[in-house]
């Protein structure tokens, strides 16, 4: 019997089937031959929330959740955080290799010269209430760019695709900054091409009346590291949305808007904002234990804890914790850090969390750091979406160029009524639904 196969005996029919095992998986379609008779559709797999289903092959990001390993195109996240810049990492994710000096210079030039937004974006932004959540503005404005670049629909034209990718990576900081400035009622700040990607983002956020914005170097570097850490994370919820929506061959602006919408959820990228609310609710170190008790009783979740893949410490959380200390040397220590450290200490010792392998994830410390940098909690998920746009676009491009991929259309297990007779309204009785 060939070694890379699985032999399945269907006890309903006593028939035996042999299916190939490839990359630790069997193809779900190989199960369709398993039938109880000619009328039988054949076996499917049932996997709510895709806990154990690979939806694609990818060479972009590798995660070993048990060992706490994260690599972009084979490079450990710790090495990239220490030696690279976000734009260099975005190039790596998209093209598969670290750029040469010449390639990086051209890449930075291209992105830098696509940070401007069409002036109509201002009118669009003005339509939002001042209190509008920045993620709502971010998602809507990215979707609106679909109307500015109708040629983006030509998703199979590689040059056109790359042009849109460069536009999106260049413009997401501008949209994010405009959302913030709209929230606080400040005039928008135009990009400054003399500045790096991250320094320019800070410029568009925080420049006031000074002639030239000067970014605080430690803050700029810390933010760039945060962008590197958040750039991609294989098939997470928002990337799955990007791939699924993109599989209909819609344009990348609408696909990124759908991915950012998924990221906004409190169980995903919205968790960093929820962590700050949680730490505010706890209020002080001595109240941490009571809060942990409520989590153990199942009444609440510890935001920033747990992960579908990491059953060990999220390697990004370690780097963020280190980077936060660098920021606090400039900004002063965020008092919420003491509550977070106490929460982590208790949770890492407590059987409830140890048994469930719940460790701090990327969102646990990032919010404390963002707040110390001067960001409001409402901006935290936008700060996640900016770098993740490069990851979403890398995954989108890989999906489009994968000959095995086609429009995503899962099946279901139908549990509803069998065929029923229509009941005229006068004969219907109220049913409690
Ligand atoms: C991100 O997928 C990615 O890669 C995402 C991400 C990325 O880079 O894209 O890493 C970014 O989204 C990080 C996660 C941010 N979310 C949060 O911090 C929200 C709090 N965490 C949980 O909601 C939860 O841990 C998830 C959503 C992250 C993971 O959920 P799972 O894998 O579906 O796990 P589960 O809900 O089935 O939990 C298993 C058990 C349950 O207890 P029992 O039913 O077995 O008794 O652990 C418990 C859960 O109740 N549990 C928690 C908990 N997370 C899980 N209990 C308390 N606090 C928590 N945070």
């Amino acid at each position: 019997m060939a070694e890379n196969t699985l032999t399945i005996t269907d006890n309903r029919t006593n028939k035996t089937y042999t299916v190939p095992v490839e990359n630790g998986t069997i193809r779900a379609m190989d199960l369709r031959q398993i039938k109880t008779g000619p009328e039988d559709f054949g076996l499917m797999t049932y996997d709510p929330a895709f806990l154990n289903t690979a939806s694609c092959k990818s060479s972009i990001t590798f995660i070993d959740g048990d060992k706490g390993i994260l690599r972009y195109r084979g490079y450990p996240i710790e090495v990239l955080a220490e030696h690279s810049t976000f734009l260099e990492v975005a190039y790596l994710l998209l093209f598969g290799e670290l750029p040469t000096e010449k390639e990086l210079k051209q890449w930075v030039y291209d992105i830098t010269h696509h940070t401007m937004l069409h002036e109509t974006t201002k009118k669009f932004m003005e339509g939002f209430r001042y209190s509008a959540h920045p993620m709502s503005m971010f998602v809507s404005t990215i979707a609106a760019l679909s109307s500015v670049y109708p040629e983006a629909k030509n998703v199979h034209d590689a040059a056109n695709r790359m042009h849109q990718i460069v536009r999106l990576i260049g413009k997401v900081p501008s949209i994010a900054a405009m959302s913030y400035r709209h929230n606080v009622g400040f005039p928008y700040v135009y990009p400054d091409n003399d500045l790096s990607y991250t320094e320019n983002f800070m410029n568009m956020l925080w420049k006031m009346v000074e002639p030239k914005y000067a970014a605080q170097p430690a803050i700029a570097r810390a933010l760039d590291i945060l962008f590197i850490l958040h750039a991609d994370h294989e098939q997470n919820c928002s990337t799955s949305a990007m791939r699924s929506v993109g599989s209909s061959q819609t344009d990348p602006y609408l696909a990124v808007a759908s991915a950012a919408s998924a990221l906004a959820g409190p169980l995903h990228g919205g968790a960093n904002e929820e962590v700050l609310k949680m730490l505010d609710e706890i209020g002080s170190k001595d109240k941490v234990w009571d809060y942990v008790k409520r989590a153990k009783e199942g009444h609440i979740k510890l935001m920033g804890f747990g992960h579908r893949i990491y059953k060990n410490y999220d390697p990004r959380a370690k780097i963020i914790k280190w980077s936060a200390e660098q920021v606090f040397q400039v900004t002063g220590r965020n008092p919420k850090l003491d509550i977070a450290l106490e929460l982590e200490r208790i949770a890492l010792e407590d059987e409830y969390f140890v048994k469930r392998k719940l460790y701090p994830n990327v969102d646990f410390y990032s919010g404390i750091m963002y707040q110390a940098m001067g960001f409001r909690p409402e901006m935290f998920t936008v700060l996640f979406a900016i770098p993740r746009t490069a990851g979403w676009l890398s995954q989108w491009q890989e999906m489009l160029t994968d000959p095995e991929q086609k429009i995503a259309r899962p099946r279901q297990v139908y549990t509803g009524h069998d065929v029923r007779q229509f009941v005229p309204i006068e004969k219907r009785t109220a049913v409690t639904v």
Side-chain angles (χ1 to χ4, degrees):
M1 186 66 73
E3 56 189 23
N4 287 326
T5 60
L6 189 70
T7 300
I8 300 165
T9 300
D10 184 348
N11 296 318
R12 300 172 298 175
T13 60
N14 280 324
K15 282 187 184 173
T16 301
Y17 305 81
T18 298
V19 295
V21 175
E22 182 198 10
N23 300 314
T25 68
I26 60 167
R27 284 180 176 269
M29 282 304 288
D30 284 347
L31 299 178
R32 283 281 286 282
Q33 62 182 309
I34 303 176
K35 299 177 184 237
T36 55
E39 296 305 307
D40 186 347
F41 179 77
L43 280 189
M44 292 194 296
T45 57
Y46 173 56
D47 187 12
F50 312 115
L51 283 161
N52 194 41
T53 295
S55 62
C56 64
K57 288 178 180 173
S58 177
S59 59
I60 298 172
T61 292
F62 173 76
I63 298 173
D64 181 323
D66 291 327
K67 296 183 183 138
I69 290 173
L70 169 58
R71 300 183 196 127
Y72 293 158
R73 300 287 189 179
Y75 295 96
I77 192 69
E78 296 81 1
V79 174
L80 293 171
E82 185 178 351
H83 299 291
S84 203
T85 64
F86 167 68
L87 280 188
E88 188 177 30
V89 164
Y91 184 100
L92 171 67
L93 291 172
L94 278 158
F95 297 98
E97 298 297 337
L98 287 167
T100 61
E101 199 163 347
K102 184 169 175 255
E103 288 165 338
L104 183 59
K105 195 162 180 247
Q106 183 59 55
W107 176 245
V108 171
Y109 177 90
D110 291 344
I111 299 292
T112 301
H113 290 80
H114 282 85
T115 50
M116 291 282 279
L117 286 161
H118 195 288
E119 277 295 287
T120 54
T121 312
K122 280 183 180 175
K123 296 189 182 66
F124 186 80
M125 197 59 80
E126 287 313 311
F128 291 107
R129 289 169 51 182
Y130 277 98
S131 57
H133 194 289
M135 268 309 274
S136 305
M137 292 192 267
F138 183 84
V139 168
S140 313
T141 306
I142 285 180
L145 288 183
S146 171
S147 64
V148 179
Y149 306 111
E151 73 279 12
K153 290 180 176 50
N154 306 322
V155 297
H156 288 300
D157 174 331
N160 172 60
R161 201 166 57 220
M162 188 46 69
H163 193 184
Q164 311 314 324
I165 287 173
V166 169
R167 278 174 166 156
L168 270 158
I169 294 175
K171 295 178 196 305
V172 286
S174 310
I175 293 170
M178 279 185 87
S179 307
Y180 169 71
R181 300 287 284 200
H182 179 75
N183 270 163
V184 294
F186 290 163
Y188 303 127
V189 175
Y190 283 98
D192 178 342
N193 288 355
D194 296 341
L195 302 175
S196 74
Y197 186 81
T198 307
E199 290 170 340
N200 180 42
F201 175 49
M202 295 165 73
N203 160 59
M204 296 186 289
L205 281 167
W206 293 321
K207 182 177 180 295
M208 297 311 279
V209 291
E210 69 273 31
K212 185 91 173 164
Y213 179 78
Q216 206 292 338
I219 302 293
R221 180 58 191 149
L223 195 51
D224 208 56
I225 289 173
L226 280 165
F227 281 178
I228 290 171
L229 298 177
H230 285 83
D232 191 59
H233 213 240
E234 54 125 291
Q235 305 313 313
N236 56 82
C237 178
S238 53
T239 297
S240 302
M242 182 78 188
R243 280 178 169 261
S244 180
V245 170
S247 73
S248 72
Q249 300 189 8
T250 188
D251 73 58
Y253 299 95
L254 298 179
V256 167
S258 70
S261 302
L263 186 76
L267 296 188
H268 190 11
N272 50 23
E273 182 179 349
E274 297 300 319
V275 168
L276 258 290
K277 289 178 190 165
M278 173 181 74
L279 296 175
D280 282 338
E281 187 181 342
I282 294 172
S284 61
K285 269 179 77 171
D286 61 320
K287 297 200 178 65
V288 167
W289 179 243
D290 287 343
Y291 198 87
V292 167
K293 192 162 165 288
R294 286 171 58 202
K296 290 172 66 176
E297 289 160 359
H299 301 310
I300 42 118
K301 287 192 184 296
L302 291 188
M303 301 315 279
F305 267 78
H307 200 279
R308 176 64 57 77
I309 306 287
Y310 288 123
K311 300 310 171 189
N312 198 321
Y313 213 94
D314 184 331
R316 300 169 296 178
K318 275 182 197 158
I319 301 167
I320 291 174
K321 201 171 166 183
W322 170 84
S323 196
E325 291 299 348
Q326 317 310 310
V327 168
F328 296 150
Q329 285 171 23
V330 173
T331 62
R333 188 177 173 80
N334 186 335
K336 293 197 177 69
L337 180 64
D338 296 323
I339 302 173
L341 290 170
E342 178 67 359
L343 182 55
E344 179 185 26
R345 184 190 66 77
I346 291 175
L348 294 187
E349 290 169 0
D350 188 281
E351 176 54 23
Y352 176 92
F353 300 96
V354 171
K355 190 176 105 186
R356 291 167 178 80
K357 299 186 176 183
L358 300 177
Y359 294 90
N361 59 45
V362 66
D363 292 305
F364 187 60
Y365 285 106
S366 56
I368 300 169
M369 193 166 157
Y370 289 141
Q371 188 177 50
M373 288 175 167
F375 290 104
R376 300 148 56 128
E378 297 76 20
M379 278 297 287
F380 292 178
T381 308
V382 173
L383 294 171
F384 194 147
I386 292 171
R388 188 52 63 89
T389 297
W392 289 330
L393 290 166
S394 309
Q395 298 273 351
W396 170 73
Q397 179 155 257
E398 187 178 64
M399 177 274 298
L400 282 174
T401 54
D402 180 343
E404 277 203 305
Q405 292 293 340
K406 51 173 65 177
I407 187 166
R409 201 261 182 244
R411 293 207 173 253
Q412 65 171 15
V413 172
Y414 178 67
T415 57
H417 290 282
D418 199 344
V419 62
R420 295 197 279 177
Q421 290 299 320
F422 182 78
V423 179
I425 192 161
E426 63 275 8
K427 294 191 175 164
R428 292 172 203 163
T429 52
V431 175
T432 48
V433 287

